[in-house]
Amino acid sequence: ELTIPKFTELIKVSEKNKAIAHIYQGYEVKILLALFEKFKDNTVLLIHDAIFTNIKLDIDEIEKIAFEASGFNVKYEEEII
């Protein structure tokens, strides 16, 4: 049997999703600011969840900085463009 949620239930889910996204984005900002502080002389661009630099960065060091800034184990990968 298919049930359709009440409008008030949809609002609650929507608000919860917005709150989770806001929290997640707050941690992204904390991490990017910590990375920028460490590599500001070599940072070319910060976008959303990426840091672009003009030097090769050590992934282990980046992950350590991210952990210190957020308390989360964030995994990074390098892409040369």
Side-chain angles (χ1 to χ4, degrees):
E1 178 178 317
L2 177 64
T3 59
I4 300 172
K6 296 178 185 174
F7 183 71
T8 55
E9 291 171 352
L10 291 174
I11 290 174
K12 289 177 187 176
V13 169
S14 174
E15 292 303 314
K16 186 186 291 186
N17 290 341
K18 285 180 186 177
I20 291 168
H22 181 74
I23 292 166
Y24 177 79
Q25 290 163 355
Y27 282 110
E28 280 185 337
V29 169
K30 280 184 166 187
I31 291 169
L32 280 177
L33 289 175
L35 292 171
F36 177 73
E37 185 60 34
K38 175 71 176 179
F39 302 109
K40 62 183 156 198
D41 293 337
N42 299 103
T43 299
V44 176
L45 186 62
L46 295 173
I47 296 182
H48 160 63
D49 61 354
I51 180 171
F52 293 81
T53 64
N54 57 11
I55 61 169
K56 181 172 175 50
L57 300 178
D58 181 300
I59 298 296
D60 291 335
E61 183 178 12
I62 291 172
E63 291 175 353
K64 181 180 176 206
I65 293 167
F67 179 79
E68 289 171 354
S70 69
F72 291 102
N73 288 312
V74 180
K75 298 297 175 194
Y76 286 85
E77 53 187 53
E78 179 182 45
E79 183 176 337
I80 299 173
I81 55 172

